[in-house]
Amino acid sequence: MQPSRRSQRSLDWLNFFVADVQTGFGPFVAVYLTTQAWSEVQIGFALSLGTLTAMLSQVPAGMMVDAAHDKRRMALLALVAIALSAVLLAAFPSRLPVLTSEVLHGFASCILNPSIAAISLALVGREALGERLGRNARYASLGGAVAAGVMGLIGTYLSSASVFWLTAALTVPSLLALSRIRAEDMRVVRPQTAAREGRFRDLLADRGVLVFAACAMLFTLSNAAMLPLAGAAVTRVTGEEANLIIAACLVVPQLVVASISPWVGRLAQQRGRRLVLVLGFSMLPLRGALLALVEQPYALVLIQALDGFSAATLNVMLPLLAADLTRGTNRFNLCMGFFGLCVGIGATISNSLAGLVSEWSSPSMAFAMLGSVGLLCTLLAALAMPETRPVEPAR
């Protein structure tokens, strides 16, 4: 049974508005707290608390979503919690409410993302999941790009707090889109046998899970620090023009992700997962090499387009591989949580390691190091990752 057009389009808009909501909790938090006379140490502690909460919540949140019968209700609760965290930030910019907001947002995000992936799986089934995830990534990228521009404008011309009032308001269309996904269009995904329900340690015994987890960690270890490192170098050369260059570097990859994500999903369905992983991950060493060699500031925008190719790959393939590797079990979201934990670990290490190499040697050497990690990630996917595409489409 094919899901209705209404449910499919509602899921598209859910991804669009959820990306709008999540954009408000990016760099805007640091800007807002700075206007409230918070010190850099205090801001760093608050942001680190949110990051740590998100990392520690990945696996428990995945288990909660797996255990929930109604995935839409889990997404609803997560959106309400995110709205509450935005209101706390906007209305009470003091220590305890802000820290509570960061913890609440970190945990709610870990519930929301796997819930949307589970809704996608229930709507289209495993045989069409790749293309559906591509559509999710397209609308999320468009939503993130639009929200970044709008929030930047209202934060500049109204107030920094208005960003978070808008964030809370945007949960309303998100909830409306969620409510329009019809329950009768969603398939019940059950494990084939009780013996295959498994536990967390069973995931850790699966070669494919371990290899892709290592790839996810190496990917973000290579990728996360590239733009911040390049941004620091550009700022030293161009001064205030750096804001325009960095803004373009954020928007261009989003547009690339929106353009190619459905194609990435279709290619994974038609030609296999490993081919897509190798193609997407190979952008990392290429990008690292170009950033190490090219010194023209505006060339950074073109180089950052490569980030769109690799980001589209990870955005689509992470939930798709989680679905492949947990086929016949009820551990889809637990697997996604484990992969998300590995992504968080890689991102945490990346900036510190790149900063140390840049300080001890040079930015070019730091880019070379990050590119080498990306090459290792590509080789691991090519040589060790098993192909997980089903031999025959599910009937």
Side-chain angles (χ1 to χ4, degrees):
M1 181 185 70
Q2 292 295 321
S4 66
R5 180 178 175 83
R6 166 182 154 177
S7 292
Q8 291 268 36
R9 296 300 294 170
S10 297
L11 183 54
D12 291 338
W13 288 110
L14 176 62
N15 280 281
F16 180 91
F17 287 115
V18 163
D20 288 348
V21 170
Q22 295 288 52
T23 298
F25 285 88
F28 295 106
V29 175
V31 174
Y32 171 58
L33 294 180
T34 301
T35 65
Q36 300 299 316
W38 281 51
S39 70
E40 291 186 7
V41 173
Q42 291 173 318
I43 293 172
F45 178 76
L47 296 178
S48 297
L49 181 62
T51 302
L52 181 62
T53 301
M55 286 180 59
L56 296 178
S57 301
Q58 292 282 353
V59 172
M63 295 174 69
M64 287 179 61
V65 176
D66 278 330
H69 175 70
D70 189 345
K71 314 301 184 187
R72 293 178 305 159
R73 181 173 296 176
M74 296 299 291
L76 183 150
L77 293 174
L79 282 167
V80 170
I82 290 173
L84 178 58
S85 63
V87 170
L88 281 174
L89 268 176
F92 308 104
S94 55
R95 183 178 180 82
L96 183 58
V98 168
L99 296 182
T100 303
S101 170
E102 285 292 312
V103 171
L104 186 60
H105 174 261
F107 183 73
S109 296
C110 292
I111 293 288
L112 181 59
N113 294 331
S115 295
I116 292 175
I119 291 168
S120 303
L121 176 59
L123 272 181
V124 303
R126 296 180 189 274
E127 63 273 13
L129 184 60
E131 190 165 353
R132 177 66 256 182
L133 292 172
R135 282 179 64 169
N136 288 359
R138 164 176 283 177
Y139 279 85
S141 295
L142 291 173
V146 170
V150 172
M151 289 178 178
L153 289 173
I154 68 167
T156 300
Y157 294 105
L158 294 179
S159 69
S160 295
S162 62
V163 169
F164 302 102
W165 291 117
L166 177 61
T167 295
L170 285 170
T171 59
V172 175
S174 301
L175 291 168
L176 179 61
L178 178 64
S179 69
R180 290 183 57 80
I181 298 174
R182 300 169 57 184
E184 53 266 34
D185 285 337
M186 297 179 66
R187 313 174 188 193
V188 178
V189 182
R190 295 188 179 96
Q192 294 171 353
T193 64
R196 288 210 64 203
E197 290 187 14
R199 291 165 292 184
F200 181 56
R201 67 182 182 184
D202 297 324
L203 285 179
L204 300 182
D206 188 296
R207 173 192 165 194
V209 170
L210 292 178
V211 172
F212 185 71
C215 287
M217 185 180 71
L218 291 172
F219 178 97
T220 48
L221 201 161
S222 171
N223 182 70
M226 284 193 185
L227 182 57
L229 195 64
V234 166
T235 302
R236 286 192 290 268
V237 174
T238 63
E240 292 184 359
E241 286 185 25
N243 289 318
L244 181 61
I245 297 172
I246 298 302
C249 288
L250 292 172
V251 172
V252 168
Q254 293 274 34
L255 296 178
V256 173
V257 171
S259 300
I260 71 167
S261 289
W263 173 80
V264 169
R266 286 193 297 269
L267 184 64
Q269 293 291 129
Q270 296 167 4
R271 300 294 299 276
R273 291 22 171 174
R274 185 165 52 197
L275 172 65
V276 174
L277 288 176
V278 172
L279 289 176
F281 290 169
S282 65
M283 297 298 106
L284 291 171
L286 176 59
R287 187 161 147 243
L290 290 173
L291 288 172
L293 297 173
V294 176
E295 297 182 355
Q296 293 297 324
Y298 287 95
L300 176 61
V301 178
L302 297 177
I303 296 172
Q304 272 300 108
L306 299 176
D307 184 35
F309 287 92
S310 53
T313 299
L314 189 67
N315 291 346
V316 173
M317 297 305 295
L318 189 150
L320 182 59
L321 284 169
D324 287 347
L325 292 165
T326 58
R327 189 179 295 109
T329 78
N330 64 343
R331 291 294 179 259
F332 169 53
N333 293 289
L334 175 59
C335 189
M336 279 192 60
F338 178 53
F339 291 158
L341 174 62
C342 295
V343 166
I345 292 172
T348 301
I349 297 172
S350 180
N351 286 293
S352 299
L353 182 60
L356 288 173
V357 173
S358 178
E359 184 176 343
W360 290 343
S361 181
S362 66
S364 294
M365 187 60 67
F367 286 127
M369 180 274 296
L370 295 173
S372 299
V373 174
L375 178 60
L376 179 60
C377 175
T378 307
L379 292 174
L380 184 62
L383 301 177
M385 185 69 199
E387 178 55 62
T388 62
R389 183 181 63 149
V391 177
E392 294 182 357
R395 292 185 181 274

